[in-house]
């Protein structure tokens, strides 16, 4: 085949030519091209198990080759000549010399010490011309050798001298038992043990059994009386004394002497007292003494505590601690049980095995102790025996080793097939290591496209990608034709509104361009268009309301009219001149009941009172009413008239009103225009923190205040106002329960401009009064001031962690804000370092003078009349006309209630019987310069202006839990107002 060129290389599968340099394996004699075998030897797939050596494996038989890849050379088949000549008269790649290879290919080191194997080796060499493949067997005759049994001598060829040849006669060698001979045919190797059944008796002669002759310990000829084995029972033969029997276990040879002979026993049983009387025979009793036995018990730790006695000592009953194997637990048992029973606990080991992945689950493991090492020849219990089974990097085979740490070895498999691309025009010849990726093909894909366009992508496996040829396509909604759209695009959208009619028949689909249908199919039980009914599309109705012309915000209702509910649309209302404006809910619609309970909180937060409306039986919504103008409006109007008369254009000074930062000034200015009373309340609390004195007997100098939960815009306004006073601000909690705390720092000081005070007037701090719209309820706050260094706050966090917010003012002061007053009271009682919270606001006392009322901007204008006790009923429950006034024709005036105050009653049994005197035409008179000043001057109250519909009034405040009785000098007749209204809500 070499001469004809019919031999192919197993790596490249090309024919091996006569002139091509080759390499031949010495084990499988496979022939490879020299460049191919060098490339294979350098590849990682050919690496051997020893990574430190340069050895590699043959691709044909996987035998290890010690020649490094760089030293592989082109030699003849006998390895004696490099680069043999290309002689046409010789075998290709042969040197033409005798082969001279040893015909015996056995390893000399393996049979170095065995004389028979050395004699069986062939000493001849191959005499053929240098040739490929294995050498033929040796045909010379070897010297005569005896057969295994030694009866005959046999002559055979040298190649067959290692093959066993027998004479065919009986072996007849003496077996190891020494009593029988081998009855097998002449054979090699040992004859084995004797398998003849032999009737044998024990040493004591009590038992007789049939044993295999080869299993007997005694060798050679035996008599019928000789014992062969031990029956493990007591011997029982009479001793020489003829009085006692042998107590030893069945044994060979004669029995020993009697242990009770007078010559052997000279002391008592414990051995402490010598016998006084001489014993004549072994039957005489042995005297006992009165001493403690004190013999060492079988446990080896304790001694017998009994009196000198006969026989064996009793078991050791001392209770000792028996530890388990792992040493993690123990139990108290009698000492003799330790050697009989092994105590094991039920604690699993849990330590990682040698693989580092699995843990030992054996209970009471010996290696569960720290730093324990396996000792002895037994199997290591922490040796993981679970198969690894991980997928190798080739992705086709799994790891065959046991579970181990680190990365798995690379796959040892070899691919002997061509790796081709999908079209077959690109390939990688074998052999290749398992996991080799398929070659990348530079040709185009030959799979026909469903659209008919030619493929523009390269050859690949799997489905073809979408066609990218630009075409003109219509969007899925059927709106426009789009150009330059890839041919394979499926969902083409134009981003225009859908505009198709919904299932209600009233609205158009507002979704962006999308596939049909616009509405999901109707579920079971719903009306459908086929049955004649209309189904809601889910969009907002959008039909203008009849009361306010705002759109209906209810979900689509094609089969029913719009619901008559209160309109929540935010509308802007202003005063008559337009200077004061605010946003309120429209509140149009709904059942008529005057000003509803939803309007009361909104009306209380307005910057000015609402203008009165004619009571013609129709309710005017909040969004259609106007605010009252104040004196500032009149001043602005007078200035405008004068400016028009004298043709003067005033400058815009709004940016300079609140200080240096124009952005912050604009934010506070806008909030001040909308809610001036709220802004002034925040300013008063900051002023008191900086200038006021601490109330109570607190030894701490920390002054802080906690504001109530509020929206983000108001929290930002508090931060801007507090920054003007150089106060530290913290926002705590999560929406919508987020609140703000402020406290004084050494850098806190009075700003250059104080809101609500006149320029040039000294600034003094009056104590503000509690307002639920501004201040946090003091019952919810627990102060922790001047905490010691060893104070443990963990008890508060562990017990009330989910019910309070812990605010750290600094490293020594903190506050806990609860959501339940009862839990706050519990924490105040349980905490050793907790104290009552005293913020910048206090509750209104039971009696307030007009001077104190007029000096506080938050309380408002001075009012006449006393305060009544708080009603226990709901403050928003309306009273009947008979309850409001015993005289039906006369009505009573209800004064507007500021945020956070309580509604006051006159009689103990009434729900709401207001009894206050009208003192001011504007309950929001806090912005007037005379009322806003904090100088403390006692201004006289102005008489109320007369209006056609009435005036808005305010009720004095009462702190939580406080009550007040009407003044003694005031009668009920004096508390009656000068005008009447139909409903107490209309005066708002």
């Amino acid at each position: 085949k070499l001469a004809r060129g019919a031999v192919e290389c197993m790596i490249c599968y090309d024919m091996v030519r006569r002139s091509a340099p080759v390499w031949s394996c010495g084990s499988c004699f496979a022939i490879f091209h020299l460049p191919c075998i060098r490339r294979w030897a350098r590849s990682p797939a050919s690496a051997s198990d020893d990574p430190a050596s340069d050895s590699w494996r043959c691709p044909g038989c996987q035998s290890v080759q010690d020649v490094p890849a760089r030293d592989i050379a082109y030699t003849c088949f006998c390895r004696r000549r490099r680069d043999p000549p290309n002689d046409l008269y010789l075998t290709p790649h042969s040197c033409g010399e005798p082969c001279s290879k040893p015909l015996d290919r056995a390893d000399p080191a393996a049979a170095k010490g065995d004389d028979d194997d050395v004699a069986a080796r062939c000493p001849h060499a191959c005499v053929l011309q240098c040739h490929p493949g294995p050498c033929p067997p040796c045909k010379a005759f070897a010297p005569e050798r005896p057969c295994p049994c030694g009866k005959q001598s046999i002559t055979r060829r040298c190649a067959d001298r290692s093959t066993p040849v027998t004479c065919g006669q009986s072996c007849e060698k003496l077996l190891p038992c020494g009593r029988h001979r081998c009855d097998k045919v002449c054979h090699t190797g040992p004859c084995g043990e004797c398998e003849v059944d032999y009737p044998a008796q024990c040493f004591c002669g009590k038992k007789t059994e049939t044993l295999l002759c080869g299993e007997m310990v005694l060798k050679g000829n035996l008599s019928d009386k000789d014992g062969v084995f031990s029956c493990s029972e007591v011997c029982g033969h009479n001793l020489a004394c003829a009085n006692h029997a042998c107590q030893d276990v069945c044994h060979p040879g004669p029995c020993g002497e009697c242990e009770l002979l007078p010559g052997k026993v000279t002391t008592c049983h414990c051995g402490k007292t010598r016998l006084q009387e001489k014993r004549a025979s072994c039957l005489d009793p042995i005297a006992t003494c009165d001493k403690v036995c004190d013999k060492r018990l079988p446990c080896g730790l304790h001694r017998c505590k009994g009196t000198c006695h006969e026989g064996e000592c009793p078991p050791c009953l001392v209770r000792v601690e028996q530890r388990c194997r792992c040493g993690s637990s123990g139990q108290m048992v009698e000492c003799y049980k330790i050697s009989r029973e092994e105590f094991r606990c039920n604690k699993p080991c849990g330590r990682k095995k040698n693989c580092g992945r699995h843990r030992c689950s054996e209970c009471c493991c010996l290696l569960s102790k720290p730093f324990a090492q396996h000792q002895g020849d037994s199997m290591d219990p922490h040796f993981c025996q679970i198969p690894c089974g991980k997928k190798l990097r080739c992705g086709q085979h799994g790891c065959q080793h046991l579970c181990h740490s680190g990365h798995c070895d690379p796959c040892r498999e070899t691919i002997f097939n061509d790796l081709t691309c999908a079209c077959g025009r690109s390939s990688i010849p074998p052999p290749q290591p398992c996991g080799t990726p398929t070659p990348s093909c530079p040709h185009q894909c030959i799979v026909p496209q469903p659209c008919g366009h030619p493929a523009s992508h390269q050859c690949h496996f799997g489905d073809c990608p979408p066609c990218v040829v630009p075409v003109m396509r219509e969007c899925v909604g059927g709106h426009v034709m789009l150009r330059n759209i890839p041919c394979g695009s499926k969902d083409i959208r134009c981003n225009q509104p859908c505009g198709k009619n919904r299932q209600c028949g009233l609205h158009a689909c507002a979704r962006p361009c999308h596939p049909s249908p616009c509405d999901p199919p109707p579920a079971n039980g719903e009306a459908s268009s086929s049955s004649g009914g209309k189904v809601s599309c889910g969009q907002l109705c959008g039909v203008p309301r009849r009361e306010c012309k705002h759109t209906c915000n209810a979900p689509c209702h094609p089969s029913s009219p719009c619901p008559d509910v209160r309109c929540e649309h935010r509308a802007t209302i202003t005063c008559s001149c337009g200077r004061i404006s605010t946003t309120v809910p429209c509140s149009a619609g709904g059942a008529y009941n005057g000003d509803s309970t939803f309007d009361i909180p909104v009306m209380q937060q307005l910057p000015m009172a609402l203008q009165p409306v004619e009571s013609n039986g129709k309710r005017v919504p909040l969004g259609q009413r106007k605010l009252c103008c104040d004196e500032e409006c009149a001043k602005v109007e007078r200035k405008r008239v004068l400016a028009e008369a004298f043709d003067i254009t005033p400058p815009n000074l709004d940016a300079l009103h609140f200080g240096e930062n124009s952005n912050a000034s604009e934010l506070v200015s806008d909030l001040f225009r909308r809610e001036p009373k709220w802004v002034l309340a925040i300013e008063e609390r900051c002023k008191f923190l900086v200038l006021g004195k601490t109330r109570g007997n607190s030894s701490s100098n920390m002054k802080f205040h906690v504001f109530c939960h509020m929206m983000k815009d108001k929290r930002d306004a508090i931060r801007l106002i507090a920054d003007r006073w150089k106060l530290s601000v913290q926002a705590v909690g999560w929406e919508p329960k987020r609140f703000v705390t402020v406290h004084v720092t050494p850098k806190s000081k009075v700003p250059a401009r104080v809101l609500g005070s006149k320029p040039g007037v000294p600034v003094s701090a009056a104590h503000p009064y509690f307002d639920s719209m501004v201040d946090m309820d003091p019952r919810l706050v627990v102060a922790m001031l001047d905490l010691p260094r060893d104070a443990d706050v963990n008890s508060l966090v562990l017990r009330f962690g989910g019910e309070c917010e812990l605010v750290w003012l600094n490293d020594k002061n903190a506050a806990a804000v609860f959501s339940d007053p009862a839990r706050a009271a519990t924490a105040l009682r349980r905490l050793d370092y907790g104290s009552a919270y005293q913020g910048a606001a206090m509750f209104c006392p039971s009696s307030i003078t007009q001077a104190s009322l007029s000096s506080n901007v938050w309380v408002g204008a001075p009012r006449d009349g006393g305060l009544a006790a708080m009603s226990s009923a709901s403050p928003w429950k309306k009273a009947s006309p008979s309850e409001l006034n015993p005289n039906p024709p006369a009505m009573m005036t209800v004064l507007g209630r500021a945020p956070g105050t309580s509604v006051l009653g006159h009689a103990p049994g009434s729900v709401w019987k207001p009894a206050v005197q009208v003192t001011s035409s504007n309950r929001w008179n806090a912005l007037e310069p005379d009322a806003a000043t904090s100088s403390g001057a006692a201004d006289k109250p102005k008489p109320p202006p007369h209006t056609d519909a009435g005036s808005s009034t305010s009720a004095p405040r009462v702190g939580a839990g406080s009550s007040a009785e009407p003044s003694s000098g005031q009668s009920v007749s004096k508390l009656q107002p000068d005008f009447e209204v139909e409903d107490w809500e209309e005066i708002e």
Side-chain angles (χ1 to χ4, degrees), residues 267-576:
T267 61
C268 63
H269 293 283
C270 65
K272 296 181 179 179
T273 305
R274 297 186 63 84
L275 298 178
Q276 300 296 331
E277 298 179 358
K278 293 185 178 180
R279 299 171 61 243
S281 67
C282 62
L283 297 178
D284 294 342
I286 301 175
T288 58
C289 65
D290 56 353
K291 297 181 181 179
V292 178
C293 178
D294 203 28
K295 288 182 180 179
R296 188 173 296 276
L297 297 176
C299 65
L301 300 176
H302 307 97
R303 295 182 178 273
C304 181
K305 301 298 183 183
T307 309
C308 180
H309 58 85
E310 296 181 4
E312 299 291 336
C313 293
C316 182
L317 301 179
V318 179
R319 294 186 64 84
V320 295
E321 183 182 11
Q322 184 182 15
R323 305 296 297 181
C324 63
R325 293 197 309 171
C326 65
S328 60
S329 60
Q331 63 177 359
M332 299 299 294
V333 296
E334 288 79 5
C335 183
Y336 76 93
K337 293 183 179 180
I338 295 180
S339 58
R340 298 183 182 180
E341 301 176 359
E342 184 181 19
F343 171 53
R344 295 189 181 186
C345 65
N346 296 326
K347 180 182 177 181
C349 177
R351 294 186 64 182
K352 287 186 177 181
K353 296 187 178 182
N354 64 328
C355 62
R357 295 174 54 196
H358 303 98
R359 294 184 179 273
C360 178
S361 59
E362 183 180 357
C363 293
C364 198
C365 179
L366 290 172
L367 299 182
S368 61
K369 301 179 182 179
F371 310 106
Q373 298 291 336
H374 175 66
Q375 296 178 357
D377 299 334
S378 60
M379 187 184 66
D380 187 0
H382 283 183
F383 180 77
C384 187
Q385 297 181 350
I386 302 175
C388 178
K390 290 183 180 178
K391 281 289 185 182
L392 300 178
R393 280 176 285 184
C394 66
Q396 299 179 4
H397 305 95
C399 182
Q400 302 297 328
H401 299 292
L402 293 178
C403 188
H404 57 86
S405 59
H407 297 287
C408 296
D409 295 339
C411 184
R412 300 295 186 185
E413 300 294 332
T414 304
I415 301 175
F416 291 99
N417 299 326
D418 290 346
L419 297 176
T420 60
C421 63
C423 64
R425 287 180 285 183
S426 298
S427 63
I428 300 178
Q432 294 294 332
C434 183
T436 303
T438 56
S440 59
C441 181
H443 304 90
Q444 286 189 346
C445 180
I446 60 176
V447 178
Q449 301 295 317
C451 59
H453 295 125
S456 58
H457 51 274
Q458 292 182 349
C459 175
H460 62 91
F461 288 95
D463 297 334
C464 292
C467 181
V468 296
V469 176
V471 295
M472 180 181 292
R473 290 288 177 85
E474 185 180 15
C475 65
V476 293
H479 302 112
V480 293
M481 295 292 293
L482 302 177
R483 298 177 180 272
N484 297 330
I485 301 299
C487 178
S489 300
K490 301 298 182 183
D491 191 4
I492 305 172
R493 307 193 182 196
C494 61
N495 292 331
Q496 295 184 7
C498 177
K500 297 178 182 178
N501 290 334
R502 301 291 297 272
Q503 60 186 1
C504 63
L506 302 176
H507 299 97
C509 182
R511 293 166 54 191
C513 180
H514 64 89
S516 298
C518 297
D519 297 295
N524 296 333
E526 295 184 359
S528 60
S529 58
S530 60
S531 60
K534 294 182 178 180
V535 183
S536 173
C537 64
Q539 296 182 193
L540 296 180
C541 177
V543 177
R545 299 168 60 94
R546 291 178 299 175
E547 300 87 354
C548 57
K549 303 305 179 185
H550 293 134
T551 58
C552 177
N553 292 329
C556 177
H557 45 87
S559 301
S560 60
C562 293
D564 187 13
V565 296
R566 183 173 179 266
C567 181
E568 298 294 339
H569 191 276
R570 304 295 294 182
T572 302
I573 60 175
T574 62
C575 61
S576 299

Side-chain angles (χ1 to χ4, degrees), residues 779-842:
R779 299 174 299 174
L780 302 177
V781 185
V782 176
M784 294 177 285
L785 306 178
D786 293 336
L787 292 174
R789 291 184 178 271
D790 56 347
D792 186 14
V793 194
N794 293 332
S795 58
L796 173 68
V797 176
L798 293 177
R799 183 164 184 175
F800 305 96
E803 306 176 27
C804 69
E805 294 287 345
L806 185 61
V807 185
W808 284 97
L809 306 176
N810 51 31
D811 56 347
K812 295 175 58 179
N813 299 277
V817 181
F818 291 77
S819 58
D820 186 8
R823 300 298 291 167
T826 303
L828 186 60
R829 292 194 306 267
R830 297 295 175 88
L831 298 177
D832 297 335
Y833 40 79
S835 60
Y837 161 70
Q838 296 179 357
M842 70 175 183

Side-chain angles (χ1 to χ4, degrees), residues 565-839:
V565 296
R566 183 173 179 266
C567 181
E568 298 294 339
H569 191 276
R570 304 295 294 182
T572 302
I573 60 175
T574 62
C575 61
S576 299
C577 64
R579 190 186 70 85
I580 305 175
S581 64
T582 185
T583 58
V584 295
C586 176
S587 73
Y592 171 75
N593 59 350
D595 290 341
S596 64
T597 56
F598 297 100
D599 298 341
I600 299 299
V602 179
M603 295 168 63
Q604 292 176 351
Q605 296 183 4
L606 296 177
M608 293 298 296
L610 295 173
Q611 293 183 6
V613 295
E614 296 180 1
S615 58
N616 54 0
K618 294 184 178 180
R619 174 177 174 271
V620 180
L622 284 179
Q624 300 177 13
R625 300 182 65 174
K626 287 187 174 293
L627 300 173
C628 294
C629 291
D630 56 1
E631 293 184 359
E632 189 67 23
C633 294
K635 293 178 182 180
V636 172
E637 182 64 22
R638 287 195 300 269
K639 291 179 181 180
R640 187 187 63 79
V641 173
L642 291 176
E644 289 180 356
F646 292 98
D647 195 14
I648 299 175
T649 303
N652 184 12
L653 302 178
D654 290 341
L656 303 177
H657 184 66
F658 290 99
E660 303 81 6
N661 193 339
S662 60
N663 295 331
S665 299
E666 290 177 2
L667 177 61
V668 180
S669 300
D670 181 65
L671 189 61
F672 187 79
R673 294 188 188 98
R674 292 187 285 108
E675 299 184 38
K677 191 173 182 179
W678 186 87
V679 174
L680 290 177
I682 303 300
E683 186 80 1
E684 285 293 319
R685 282 144 181 78
C686 295
K687 182 198 305 182
F688 182 80
L689 288 177
V690 177
L691 301 178
K693 295 182 179 179
T694 305
R695 293 186 292 119
N697 298 326
S698 176
S699 60
S700 175
N701 295 326
M702 172 58 64
K703 293 189 294 183
F704 69 101
H705 186 75
V706 183
F707 292 95
C708 65
H709 307 127
M710 55 186 64
M711 303 301 290
K712 185 179 183 300
D713 55 344
K714 291 192 175 183
R715 295 199 304 267
D716 296 339
I718 292 178
R719 185 179 297 277
L720 295 175
I721 296 174
D723 288 341
R724 298 173 61 251
W725 292 85
K726 306 300 182 183
L727 298 174
S728 178
V729 186
Q730 293 184 10
V732 188
W734 301 92
E735 298 289 351
K737 298 290 186 180
R738 195 168 175 82
F739 58 93
V740 176
T741 63
V742 296
H743 66 273
V744 180
T745 63
K747 297 182 180 180
S748 301
K749 63 178 181 179
V750 181
R753 178 83 164 91
V754 179
L755 301 182
S757 64
K758 293 181 179 179
V761 178
V763 180
S764 61
H767 214 306
Y769 294 101
F770 173 80
D771 191 338
S772 61
M773 303 298 292
V774 178
D775 309 309
M776 182 70 72
D777 190 348
R779 299 174 299 174
L780 302 177
V781 185
V782 176
M784 294 177 285
L785 306 178
D786 293 336
L787 292 174
R789 291 184 178 271
D790 56 347
D792 186 14
V793 194
N794 293 332
S795 58
L796 173 68
V797 176
L798 293 177
R799 183 164 184 175
F800 305 96
E803 306 176 27
C804 69
E805 294 287 345
L806 185 61
V807 185
W808 284 97
L809 306 176
N810 51 31
D811 56 347
K812 295 175 58 179
N813 299 277
V817 181
F818 291 77
S819 58
D820 186 8
R823 300 298 291 167
T826 303
L828 186 60
R829 292 194 306 267
R830 297 295 175 88
L831 298 177
D832 297 335
Y833 40 79
S835 60
Y837 161 70
Q838 296 179 357

